Amino acid sequence: MDKNFFLANYNYWAVVVLMMSGFYVVLSRNHLIKKIVGLNVFQVSVFLLYISVGKIIGGTAPILTGKPELFSNPLPHVLILTAIVVAISTTAIALSLAVRIHEAFGTLDEAGLIAIEHAIERESVQSQ
Amino acid sequence: MSATLALGLVLLLPGVGAVVIGLLHHFPNIREAMSLLTASLLFITVLYLLNAHLNADPQQLQLAELLPGLPVVLVTEPIGLVFAALSSFLWVVISAYSIGYMRGMQERRQTRFYIFFALAMAGVMGVAFAGNLLTLFLFYEMLSLSTYPLVVHRETEEARRGGRIYLGILLGTSIFFFLPAMVWTWWLAGGLAFTPGGILTGKIEGTAAAVLFGLYLFGVGKAALIPVHRWLPAAMVAPTPVSAFLHAVAVVKAGVFTVLKIGVYIFGVGFLSQTSASEWMMWIAAFSMVMASVIALRKDELKARLAYSTVAQLAYVTLGVSLASPMGALGGALQIVSHAMGKITLFMCAGAIEVAGGKKYVSGLRGLGRKMPYTFTAFLLGSLCIIGLPLTGGVWSKYYLMKGGADAGEPILLAFWILSSLLSIAYLMPVVVRGFFLPSPAENEPQQSLEPETSKAVPETIREAPLWCVIPACLTGILSVVLYFLIPSITGFVAPVLEGGVPQ
Amino acid sequence: MITGHLPVIAVMTPLLGAILCVLTRSSILAWGLTLIGAAIPALSSLIILVQVLSRGMLSYHMGGWEPPWGIEFRIDAANAFVLVIVSAVGLCCAFFARKSVDEEIPQSSQPLFYTMLLLCLGGMLGVVATGDAFNLFVFLEISSLSAYVLVAMGAQRERRALTAAFNYLIIGTIGASFYVIGLGLIYMLTGTLNMADIAVRISTLGDNTALRMGFAFIMVGLSLKFAMFPLHFWLPNAYTFAPSVVTAFLAGTATKVALYAGLRVLYTMFSIGFLFQTETMLYVFLPLGLAAVFAASITAIFQDNVKRMLAYSSVAQMGYLLIGISLANIGGLMAAVLHLFNHAILKSGLFLAIGCVVYRTGSCSIAAFRGLGHQMPWTMAALVIGALGMIGMPATVGFTSKWFLVLAAIDSGWWFVALSIVAGSLLTLIYFGRIIEAAYLQPAPENSTITEAPFLLLLPVWLLMITSITFGINSELPVTLARAASQALFLDPHNGLPPQVSP
């Protein structure tokens, strides 16, 4: 693989790095807020993928003037607007869930939560 | 009444009966009268159908279309009619007997008992009149499910365990072996209708045919071939009328009847003998026959002994079908009838002994025969029928089976039969001998039997069981002798479908 | 003409209803809106189904924009069938909701609950109706986001619902993002988002690494959503702790809809001839389907919480669907579609029946079922019918799908698969046996004063169970529909009847 392969596709490399680091954070962190942060990074990488694909070097905004012009593809950008809305809603729900979890369990640490849940499970088994 | 309507009635009557019995929950006397009435009406309906069929008027009734191209169909044909007549008659007997037994034992939840009894009977009728394999399967499963509440009737831990084994094995084998075998047959033959001469000729051969036959025989768990026989002894936890019903009328007979139908109408006797697909099953059945007899010999609990005896006797039918000769199949069909009559007698006697004497173990029966002469005489007659001595119905089926074995050129099988018959003498006769000829235990003599402490307290003085228990038992006992004279006409009725593979 | 707008009416009514719901403060009013918002789609999807069967595929151009530029609702026999399933289950659950929700959700948040229920329904209907791959993502997320909230609303009774919802959210979002990534790759290759258009262009592309990547991302994303074993870990907790009616609703619809989306991708976007796809079927879906049937069923046997038991059972049933699909022939696909229908009916009915039990006893542990056979005879009878259906007894719908699955397996010559399918049924027998034994053969606890559930709760349960029996005894209608649906999916869509176009 030559140097150009890396350079020519630098946007993809950025996407891959972001995606994997976001994914890694989601899987490896115990703190729920950090998981949400990771999830956001992960989603942003997807946005970048779409946006960078739509961009054409030297292209302008897609406003039709009647003359033949080189312009960027607007559709991916529009799609990502929608995706961003979805991502924001997801984050909002995730955060509000985190608030409720903190109220109900007193912790946001996943290990701690699992321990509490196991304790509840044991109690319910014993009470029968 | 048109005959087609009557065919619908055989399902409708027990179904409606079950509902009415449920509604009469608070009136035990009327409820039990209803139960008897339903049973009698059903028997009359079946006789009517039999008559119509004898007048060369076979009936067919399509109920629904379970799967596209695979309807639920009821038809009348000789083997099914014999089975239906037999079981509906025995239902009348067992209904009468149940009244005595259930009251005598002060069982709980009697309404539920009668409801599911009626539903099970609907299942039996469906099996008997099924016009194709899918219909048979539908009612076969319905029978398994509706008898489950009867098996677990007492709701004790032991009953639950027995029920688990019962349902687990019956549904398990039917789903795991029977269903794939059925789908396979459908895939091969494009149909599942019961056709004289079979539907598989030319569609399958060699090892595949043998495997398919094996799938069916093990799939019909109700035929209780070793090693799928475990449900039968497990179901012994049920009240005795249920045991009698399971072992003589409904479940096991539905099982071997299914085997017979599959052998005669799906494979076809001729096809089986050409491909020798059934040869390996023949040896398994022979082994099952002897093995179960040996186990029966070693059981002290009377009902368990009878259960293993049933396993052995059922193997006769499977063996008869596996012989792949018309004689064998005929013997199998007759064995269904004669064994039903004999075994129901034995079970009703066992129940009567339990009600009147509180005895469940063979070793505890000493001298009881002199206190309960009618019960023990009936037991003797039933035993003779099971063993297959002349002047009882049992002799015919044994005769045809052995003849079929000789025709099929398997002389070693004869040895198996003789051995099994000897064993059946060995495990049945001691009951009668102990009852009549051994002295009763003295008042202060320690109990030598295995009778557990928990069993029902022994009444002060043992007398004959209630009339409702004794009369049915004596009736079937006598009938197992009468059967000796009836069977030739049944043979004439059934034989045509077996011999040439052409409907008469 | 109103019939021409039916696809969009079916999808939009619940969404509009949701907006109205959020404005009201009265829970009864909100419930009324929910009923209307669920009934109209049910009715319209029935009409759509009749139309599609008689006149062929139906194409609705959103806002009058021609596809592939505009968004297209493209309805053939497959999605018409799934639309009917989803909206019918939705209607039953909406009906059930009133009493059950009163018991399980605080009065003040009930209108919000109904809002979410409608949003979820609308999103699912959108997923099924749409012919645009990105639009599918948007609808999928509408339904998923509201499903997270619905699950979290179980927190009133059991605070573990919150963590269950959180995990569901994380996994669901990752799944959706995977889908978008895969779609992005495919968009880069084809330059279009219309599924039919994608299909045309993919067929000219040939094999290609980016295409494979796109396919893999999409399938993994959707597999997370439809809880393919072993990506099912969000499901048991979410189903266990969600409010009863939500569990029933999600069990009957959520995984089904995601699986439908998967079928669209497999069969419509990538045609069956696509080499990579057949390999996926054989080496990925089949083993995972088998593993799901056995692993999830065995896990279900050891559960003491009945809802969790049935949740694992759902994972196992998804395994059956995967097996049917992985046979890669039309028979298997047809069996899978049929099973999708049957399982939706049975599982929602069962979860609703359990909802009745929770309504009366406040618990869904197996110990709470002791003696219920005598105390709640109608509920338990419904449960038994549902259980028989799940086991696959003849004369219930479960039998027909087992029959066609086994038939398809034998037709492919896969004996091992055929036997595994029936072996799975035996495991089903064991875990349902536990419930039924507890209900009928064990005495109720002392001083228990439990009575039968109210009629309003029993009605939808019995409606579903009677459907199961009716279609079990005469299976012609569902079989015909499933056959038409599988043909619509399996056969090349471009050879079919020309679509009838409406604005």
Side-chain angles (χ1 to χ4, degrees):
Chain A
M1 279 192 273
D2 61 324
K3 194 173 63 182
N4 283 339
F5 177 78
F6 284 94
L7 290 179
N9 296 313
Y10 72 94
N11 56 331
Y12 296 134
W13 295 115
V15 168
V16 168
V17 169
L18 275 178
M19 189 186 290
M20 286 306 122
S21 32
F23 199 39
Y24 177 74
V25 171
V26 175
L27 294 181
S28 64
R29 294 300 105 174
N30 262 336
H31 198 274
L32 297 193
I33 301 292
K34 288 184 183 165
K35 275 183 188 287
I36 298 171
V37 172
L39 202 61
N40 271 312
V41 174
F42 183 64
Q43 287 176 312
V44 164
S45 74
V46 183
F47 305 160
L48 277 183
L49 174 73
Y50 273 71
I51 294 170
S52 63
V53 165
K55 172 69 185 169
I56 289 169
I57 295 168
T60 63
I63 300 166
L64 298 181
T65 54
K67 287 180 287 185
E69 261 185 281
L70 188 68
F71 55 82
S72 296
N73 185 351
L75 190 63
H77 300 184
V78 177
L79 296 179
I80 284 320
L81 272 180
T82 320
I84 288 173
V85 174
V86 171
I88 288 174
S89 325
T90 314
T91 312
I93 293 178
L95 285 173
S96 57
L97 276 176
V99 172
R100 292 289 310 277
I101 288 173
H102 194 263
E103 283 171 5
F105 292 87
T107 175
L108 281 177
D109 183 67
E110 200 174 32
L113 287 171
I114 290 173
I116 295 175
E117 293 193 342
H118 282 180
I120 300 176
E121 192 69 42
R122 268 197 303 278
E123 258 171 51
S124 71
V125 169
Q126 276 161 11
S127 70
Q128 284 165 19
Chain B
M1 176 165 77
S2 89
T4 318
L5 183 74
L7 203 51
L9 267 185
V10 296
L11 286 185
L12 203 61
L13 266 176
V16 172
V19 174
V20 174
I21 290 168
L23 293 177
L24 293 172
H25 179 60
H26 295 294
F27 311 95
N29 289 330
I30 311 177
R31 176 190 69 198
E32 278 146 35
M34 268 316 292
S35 174
L36 261 180
L37 181 70
T38 317
S40 317
L41 284 177
L42 184 67
F43 181 50
I44 293 168
T45 315
V46 173
L47 284 186
Y48 176 82
L49 281 170
L50 189 65
N51 185 39
H53 191 87
L54 284 174
N55 295 334
D57 185 20
Q59 296 301 318
Q60 183 165 357
L61 176 66
Q62 180 167 339
L63 294 176
E65 195 154 348
L66 212 55
L67 294 164
L70 268 181
V72 174
V73 184
L74 301 182
V75 298
T76 57
E77 56 84 37
I79 310 181
L81 275 169
V82 170
F83 176 51
L86 174 77
S87 31
S88 58
F89 170 69
L90 290 180
W91 188 30
V92 180
V93 178
I94 210 85
S95 300
Y97 177 81
S98 307
I99 297 170
Y101 181 88
M102 297 303 275
R103 292 187 175 188
M105 295 292 280
Q106 291 153 17
E107 294 278 353
R108 292 164 59 239
R109 302 193 196 289
Q110 293 193 16
T111 307
R112 183 178 76 184
F113 178 85
Y114 289 111
I115 291 176
F116 282 103
F117 224 113
L119 285 180
M121 210 53 215
V124 174
M125 286 298 126
V127 169
F129 288 109
N132 60 32
L133 200 53
L134 184 74
T135 313
L136 197 151
F137 184 74
L138 167 70
F139 289 106
Y140 178 96
E141 297 291 44
M142 179 176 158
L143 183 57
S144 308
L145 293 171
S146 55
T147 44
Y148 172 74
L150 299 176
V151 171
V152 296
H153 183 80
R154 287 181 175 145
E155 297 188 12
T156 56
E157 182 52 41
E158 194 196 356
R160 281 201 290 275
R161 203 179 317 116
R164 255 174 246 152
I165 298 174
Y166 178 76
L167 205 59
I169 292 186
L170 286 189
L171 288 190
T173 50
S174 70
I175 292 175
F176 195 71
F177 297 118
F178 197 168
L179 179 62
M182 197 164 60
V183 180
W184 190 6
T185 311
W186 161 258
W187 184 72
L188 287 169
L192 290 176
F194 289 131
T195 317
I199 55 173
L200 284 171
T201 314
K203 306 272 174 36
I204 187 173
E205 56 190 13
T207 322
V211 170
L212 182 60
F213 193 68
L215 276 180
Y216 274 122
L217 254 49
F218 286 117
V220 184
K222 292 194 170 100
L225 204 60
I226 286 180
V228 293
H229 68 289
R230 274 288 301 136
W231 62 270
L232 235 174
M236 283 302 112
V237 293
T240 303
V242 176
S243 314
F245 183 68
L246 294 180
H247 290 94
V249 188
V251 179
V252 292
K253 287 294 143 21
V256 284
F257 174 74
T258 308
V259 169
L260 198 60
K261 287 275 256 194
I262 290 169
V264 174
Y265 292 122
I266 295 291
F267 282 87
V269 175
F271 176 67
L272 276 181
S273 66
Q274 278 163 28
T275 55
S276 60
S278 58
E279 205 171 310
W280 69 288
M281 289 310 299
M282 195 167 74
W283 295 109
I284 289 187
F287 169 76
S288 182
M289 190 167 78
V290 174
M291 195 62 205
S293 302
V294 172
I295 299 174
L297 197 58
R298 300 185 56 230
K299 292 283 171 190
D300 189 35
E301 192 185 348
L302 184 52
K303 277 172 77 178
R305 182 176 287 198
L306 295 181
Y308 275 102
S309 153
T310 307
V311 176
Q313 297 291 321
L314 292 176
Y316 279 65
V317 184
T318 313
L319 186 49
V321 175
S322 304
L323 280 177
S325 73
M327 277 304 161
L330 178 63
L334 296 179
Q335 169 75 0
I336 292 181
V337 180
S338 62
H339 175 252
M341 206 57 88
K343 198 44 78 59
I344 202 168
T345 313
L346 297 188
F347 268 103
M348 286 195 289
C349 293
I353 296 169
E354 196 184 341
V355 172
K359 304 285 189 190
K360 285 177 166 178
Y361 289 82
V362 178
S363 49
L365 298 179
R366 284 193 298 166
L368 219 55
R370 271 165 287 177
K371 290 171 183 157
M372 308 173 64
Y374 295 108
T375 309
F376 274 78
T377 310
F379 196 97
L380 176 66
L381 292 177
S383 305
L384 295 180
C385 183
I386 298 290
I387 296 165
L389 292 182
L391 286 180
T392 63
V395 69
W396 289 106
S397 51
K398 307 285 186 304
Y399 166 73
Y400 282 113
L401 280 170
M402 290 204 187
K403 195 160 181 296
D407 285 356
E410 300 284 355
I412 308 170
L413 281 179
L414 295 182
F416 274 95
W417 265 307
I418 293 165
L419 182 61
S420 165
S421 291
L422 290 176
L423 282 167
S424 63
I425 297 177
Y427 61 71
L428 286 175
M429 278 305 127
V431 178
V432 186
V433 172
R434 268 170 196 274
F436 279 124
F437 302 119
L438 290 187
S440 351
E443 285 298 315
N444 49 6
E445 186 186 341
Q447 275 281 3
Q448 286 186 349
S449 81
L450 295 169
E451 206 72 40
E453 297 292 321
T454 49
S455 76
K456 195 166 168 264
V458 181
E460 290 291 305
T461 49
I462 299 173
R463 279 180 298 132
E464 190 58 274
L467 275 184
W468 279 113
C469 285
V470 177
I471 292 176
C474 291
L475 179 67
T476 53
I478 293 165
L479 277 176
S480 31
V481 177
V482 174
L483 216 50
Y484 177 76
F485 304 99
L486 281 180
I487 278 197
S489 55
I490 299 180
T491 313
F493 182 50
V494 173
V497 273
L498 304 171
E499 298 277 359
V502 188
Q504 77 281 42
Chain C
M1 200 177 82
I2 194 158
T3 47
H5 290 284
L6 277 176
V8 79
I9 289 175
V11 177
M12 283 305 157
T13 338
L15 298 180
L16 291 176
I19 295 171
L20 291 179
C21 261
V22 85
L23 295 175
T24 95
R25 281 283 157 268
S26 145
S27 63
I28 293 188
L29 197 60
W31 181 59
L33 284 169
T34 311
L35 269 188
I36 297 169
I40 292 178
L43 200 63
S44 4
S45 12
L46 269 182
I47 301 174
I48 292 173
L49 182 65
V50 174
Q51 279 185 352
V52 167
L53 287 182
S54 60
R55 283 187 277 165
M57 190 193 298
L58 202 140
S59 166
Y60 182 90
H61 301 161
M62 195 66 85
W65 292 86
E66 287 286 313
W69 298 283
I71 290 172
E72 182 193 18
F73 275 15
R74 191 185 178 90
I75 300 183
D76 58 20
N79 30 5
F81 190 35
V82 180
L83 269 182
V84 171
I85 298 174
V86 171
S87 55
V89 169
L91 185 59
C92 283
C93 291
F95 196 82
F96 186 89
R98 176 83 193 112
K99 283 257 174 197
S100 174
V101 163
D102 260 349
E103 191 73 17
E104 297 181 23
I105 312 272
Q107 194 73 25
S108 57
S109 39
Q110 280 182 12
L112 297 175
F113 174 88
Y114 289 119
T115 309
M116 287 300 154
L117 198 61
L118 279 176
L119 272 183
C120 197
L121 179 63
M124 287 176 186
L125 292 172
V127 171
V128 180
T130 190
D132 182 285
F134 196 84
N135 195 230
L136 190 148
F137 159 75
V138 176
F139 278 123
L140 195 63
E141 279 312 86
I142 291 178
S143 72
S144 298
L145 285 172
S146 37
Y148 309 147
V149 178
L150 286 171
V151 170
M153 280 191 164
Q156 173 73 11
R157 282 183 52 245
E158 171 59 67
R159 57 183 166 157
R160 280 178 284 174
L162 294 170
T163 45
F166 191 85
N167 288 332
Y168 184 13
L169 180 141
I170 296 283
I171 294 184
T173 308
I174 289 175
S177 305
F178 267 49
Y179 176 84
V180 182
I181 297 167
L183 190 62
L185 292 172
I186 288 173
Y187 177 69
M188 283 153 64
L189 289 168
T190 61
T192 177
L193 289 168
N194 184 291
M195 288 189 200
D197 206 27
I198 290 178
V200 176
R201 301 199 186 201
I202 282 181
S203 60
T204 62
L205 274 175
D207 198 11
N208 169 326
T209 313
L211 197 61
R212 288 175 168 231
M213 284 301 291
F215 176 76
F217 267 116
I218 288 185
M219 284 324 290
V220 171
L222 290 176
S223 304
L224 279 164
K225 292 264 182 191
F226 66 71
M228 178 173 83
F229 184 87
L231 305 176
H232 67 281
F233 285 105
W234 58 271
L235 187 142
N237 268 349
Y239 280 17
T240 310
F241 300 125
S244 311
V245 61
V246 173
T247 311
F249 179 61
L250 293 182
T253 55
T255 47
K256 309 290 176 294
V257 165
L259 187 79
Y260 160 79
L263 287 178
R264 272 285 165 221
V265 173
L266 280 171
Y267 287 99
T268 305
M269 279 165 62
F270 297 80
S271 65
I272 187 72
F274 187 50
L275 176 73
F276 184 49
Q277 187 191 330
T278 358
E279 286 169 13
T280 317
M281 305 274 201
L282 192 57
Y283 297 117
V284 180
F285 283 170
L286 183 64
L288 288 180
L290 289 172
V293 168
F294 287 105
S297 301
I298 290 170
T299 318
I301 291 172
F302 295 102
Q303 300 306 316
D304 282 323
N305 183 314
V306 175
K307 270 169 105 175
R308 192 187 292 272
M309 184 188 278
L310 294 197
Y312 277 108
S313 153
S314 279
V315 177
Q317 301 299 321
M318 292 315 280
Y320 283 121
L321 292 171
L322 283 178
I323 292 173
I325 295 166
S326 64
L327 293 173
N329 57 26
I330 195 157
L333 182 63
M334 181 248 167
V337 174
L338 191 64
H339 195 58
L340 190 147
F341 167 72
N342 296 342
H343 181 240
I345 292 180
L346 289 170
K347 204 38 92 51
S348 334
L350 281 168
F351 271 121
L352 287 182
I354 290 168
C356 294
V357 174
V358 174
Y359 182 79
R360 281 298 187 214
T361 67
S363 162
C364 51
S365 73
I366 203 154
F369 278 71
R370 280 178 304 187
L372 286 188
H374 306 294
Q375 289 167 327
M376 304 177 71
W378 287 98
T379 313
M380 286 301 129
L383 197 96
V384 169
I385 295 176
L388 293 180
M390 295 293 297
I391 298 165
M393 283 291 115
T396 64
V397 284
F399 179 72
T400 52
S401 45
K402 291 273 156 67
W403 174 278
F404 283 107
L405 267 177
V406 174
L407 186 64
I410 290 179
D411 205 27
S412 310
W414 291 2
W415 289 101
F416 175 68
V417 176
L419 286 180
S420 305
I421 292 166
V422 287
S425 295
L426 298 186
L427 297 172
T428 318
L429 172 66
I430 298 176
Y431 55 78
F432 277 110
R434 285 189 63 202
I435 307 178
I436 289 166
E437 221 177 60
Y440 284 95
L441 299 182
Q442 290 185 351
E446 298 276 316
N447 309 325
S448 128
T449 54
I450 291 160
T451 51
E452 185 53 87
F455 178 72
L456 269 183
L457 292 184
L458 283 176
L459 187 69
V461 176
W462 274 94
L463 213 59
L464 289 167
M465 291 311 162
I466 289 171
T467 315
S468 155
I469 297 280
T470 315
F471 287 144
I473 288 175
N474 191 342
S475 62
E476 200 188 339
L477 182 65
V479 169
T480 314
L481 290 175
R483 191 163 282 148
S486 56
Q487 276 163 356
L489 283 168
F490 198 83
L491 304 176
D492 188 359
H494 314 296
N495 295 339
L497 294 165
Q500 23 164 333
V501 177
S502 53

